[in-house]
Amino acid sequence: MSVRILSTALALSAAAALCAVQPASVHAQAAPQGSNQAKPAAADQQFMKDLGEGNLAEVETGKLAQQKGSKEDVKAFGSMMVKDHTQALQELQALASRKDVQLPKEPNAKHAAAAKSLQAMNGDSFDKRYAAMAVSDHEETLALLKKVEQGAKDPDLRKYAADTTKVVSRHLEHAQKLAGKH
């Protein structure tokens, strides 16, 4: 009987030791992909935040263009801004999440003030101002994307910038044509 108790005690001790080791190895295997990545450099985090604010602003003003634009081409451009910048924002949010970077939830003060000024306009004055803003905003965004593409340390952020540059270049060309009409 004492051998049986000793055997049971040894078996329980071995099981307890195995359980104590197992959670750490199981936890390490269950960690989400990318969670072991180092947080990006401060400059790269700021690039991500700036790009996030720009996308948020384009979505917001694009919605205004859909509502307040007096011409069909302005409304169509606004619709394209909402669609494309929502997609770009979602891609950036996924990247930021993998890198443990918190993006802004709303546009910065400059963009918020611009949207507020647009909100107060109607008709042709809205169309002209929106088109002019679209040109200047996309010029600024394109410059930022090129800076990120060349200067970011994080390779995933550089790839995001390169991919997004193509879309923003197309937006800028479209905005310039739109501004030339209005």
Side-chain angles (χ1 to χ4, degrees):
M1 187 87 158
S2 66
V3 173
R4 183 179 265 177
I5 294 172
L6 184 58
S7 295
T8 304
L10 286 173
L12 288 173
S13 293
L18 186 61
C19 287
V21 172
Q22 189 178 10
S25 63
V26 168
H27 182 67
Q29 291 172 353
Q33 252 186 349
S35 65
N36 294 335
Q37 296 179 355
K39 200 165 192 169
D44 288 1
Q45 291 181 49
Q46 190 59 51
F47 283 149
M48 294 172 91
K49 291 173 184 178
D50 292 344
L51 291 168
E53 286 175 341
N55 281 316
L56 288 166
E58 289 298 336
V59 170
E60 185 177 340
T61 57
K63 288 177 181 177
L64 283 174
Q66 289 176 302
Q67 296 164 3
K68 297 180 74 74
S70 66
K71 306 255 182 351
E72 210 40 55
D73 57 351
V74 172
K75 290 176 183 258
F77 185 76
S79 178
M80 181 173 62
M81 294 301 94
V82 171
K83 178 183 166 284
D84 290 353
H85 285 281
T86 296
Q87 181 179 345
L89 182 59
Q90 289 169 343
E91 291 168 7
L92 184 62
Q93 287 169 329
L95 175 63
S97 178
R98 287 194 311 271
K99 306 287 182 174
D100 196 29
V101 174
Q102 191 68 28
L103 294 181
K105 304 268 190 249
E106 55 190 38
N108 62 19
K110 173 190 162 197
H111 288 114
K116 189 175 182 179
S117 74
L118 275 177
Q119 182 69 40
M121 297 178 153
N122 289 306
D124 196 45
S125 63
F126 175 91
D127 293 350
K128 286 180 183 179
R129 181 70 186 125
Y130 176 71
M133 281 177 54
V135 170
S136 64
D137 286 349
H138 283 87
E139 286 172 342
E140 288 176 20
T141 300
L142 196 55
L144 176 61
L145 286 167
K146 288 180 180 181
K147 186 175 178 180
V148 171
E149 199 174 345
Q150 295 169 359
K153 290 181 173 73
D154 187 278
D156 297 328
L157 180 55
R158 284 195 311 269
K159 182 179 180 341
Y160 171 85
D163 293 345
T164 307
T165 294
K166 298 168 192 165
V167 176
V168 172
S169 293
R170 197 175 64 241
H171 288 173
L172 177 57
E173 289 174 19
H174 197 111
Q176 289 168 331
K177 289 177 186 172
L178 191 65
K181 289 182 184 178
H182 299 284

